[in-house]
Amino acid sequence: MHRTVIVTGSTSGIGLAIARAFANDGCNIMLNGFGLEHEIEDTRLLMEAESGTRVLYHPADMTKPDEIADLIKTANEKLGSVDILINNAGVQHVAPLEEFPTEKWNQIIAINLTSSFHTMHAVIPLMKAAGKGRIINIASAHGLVASPYKSAYVAAKHGIIGLTKSAALELAETGITVNAICPGYVLTSLLEKQIPDTAKARGISEDEVKNDVLLRLQATKEFVKAADIAATAIFLASDAAKQITGTHISIDGGWTAQ
């Protein structure tokens, strides 16, 4: 029997890489996220063809608890179980604290932190009934250390680490593990689009943005690959990781070692 995996924010970037990895590992997948309808459908069909597993899509808005609950319910009903939940959805906004727009703060906290409460709130009873489960929260190096001008994101990701630990302790005797992955900078299309604007704003070259701004704290001077994050999630969802709970794994090129 195929395990079922829900990955929030999985129509692009890190989330899509994680979803593809689990599909290729023999899991049924529930995709979630925003994007053009035909592009999401093309992605869904391609994943099914490549993996031979079932791949569905649910458009739940991660700021709306009722839609999040329906995401979990639909996955359980249509795919037969929810064995693995991966909370990946996230947004970012950069501004000084005193200029930070209230609506952006609320949006980031809702999507990057509170949505994980709602997904876990809905999925834990299902996993408890099954006597097993894996919850993997995609946090960030910013869940462990801070950077200026990212107050909402840093607060949300620190919150995810705390939520992970608390849930792991509550579920320690249920067969359900809860862990976080803390990536450094990943060269996603979203990040790539910011590089020219950052170069223009700072009056430096795009290479300087990569090396002196983005990779300044990553000791390896290399971007993290989405495939590395996906492989770590696969490991955390395996039987080999059944005694790993309530912790985080950093994939940050040495950033948080400093």
Side-chain angles (χ1 to χ4, degrees):
M1 181 177 169
H2 297 295
R3 292 187 297 172
T4 294
V5 186
I6 297 173
V7 188
T8 67
S10 53
T11 50
S12 63
I14 294 168
L16 180 56
I18 292 171
R20 280 189 171 132
F22 274 99
N24 292 333
D25 197 49
C27 296
N28 293 326
I29 305 295
M30 177 62 85
L31 296 171
N32 158 262
F34 295 135
L36 297 174
E37 190 174 329
H38 71 277
E39 289 182 356
I40 294 170
E41 180 62 8
D42 288 347
T43 297
R44 189 190 71 77
L45 290 171
L46 181 62
M47 284 178 65
E48 279 197 334
E50 289 177 343
S51 67
T53 64
R54 293 185 68 195
V55 180
L56 303 181
Y57 167 73
H58 193 290
D61 182 333
M62 289 294 112
T63 65
K64 297 179 179 175
D66 289 348
E67 293 187 17
I68 294 170
D70 190 65
L71 164 67
I72 305 298
K73 180 172 177 281
T74 301
N76 188 53
E77 289 176 351
K78 292 191 174 180
L79 297 173
S81 65
V82 180
D83 304 282
I84 301 158
L85 167 66
I86 300 177
N87 288 310
N88 169 76
V91 291
Q92 174 66 289
H93 185 77
V94 180
L97 187 58
E98 72 275 17
E99 297 173 12
F100 214 95
T102 300
E103 66 274 13
K104 287 293 183 183
W105 171 276
N106 291 338
Q107 180 195 41
I108 289 170
I109 297 299
I111 294 172
N112 295 26
L113 175 57
T114 308
S115 70
S116 294
F117 161 76
H118 290 300
T119 57
M120 291 164 69
H121 185 267
V123 86
I124 285 169
L126 301 176
M127 290 183 173
K128 278 187 171 180
K132 58 186 171 67
R134 295 284 189 268
I135 298 171
I136 301 167
N137 297 320
I138 307 302
S140 168
H142 282 123
L144 305 168
V145 296
S147 292
Y149 312 123
K150 297 179 180 180
S151 55
Y153 188 85
V154 171
K157 293 300 186 180
H158 272 66
I160 282 288
I161 298 292
L163 179 62
T164 297
K165 291 177 179 179
S166 188
L169 293 177
E170 290 184 25
L171 299 170
E173 297 181 35
T174 66
I176 304 166
T177 67
V178 190
N179 292 290
I181 297 174
C182 295
Y185 281 113
V186 182
L187 200 57
T188 60
S189 58
L190 190 67
L191 184 62
E192 284 182 321
K193 288 173 187 171
Q194 295 172 21
I195 290 172
D197 291 338
T198 304
K200 186 177 180 182
R202 291 179 178 244
I204 58 178
S205 71
E206 291 186 19
D207 281 342
E208 285 173 317
V209 170
K210 289 181 181 178
N211 296 320
D212 300 338
V213 179
L214 299 177
L215 294 178
R216 182 173 63 87
L217 295 173
Q218 292 188 193
T220 60
K221 302 304 178 191
E222 294 178 7
F223 286 102
V224 175
K225 290 183 169 57
D228 299 337
I229 300 165
T232 303
I234 293 276
F235 166 67
L236 286 173
S238 72
D239 287 341
K242 64 185 177 183
Q243 288 301 322
I244 301 175
T245 195
T247 193
H248 70 272
I249 296 178
S250 291
I251 311 177
D252 63 7
W255 178 347
T256 55
Q258 300 180 54

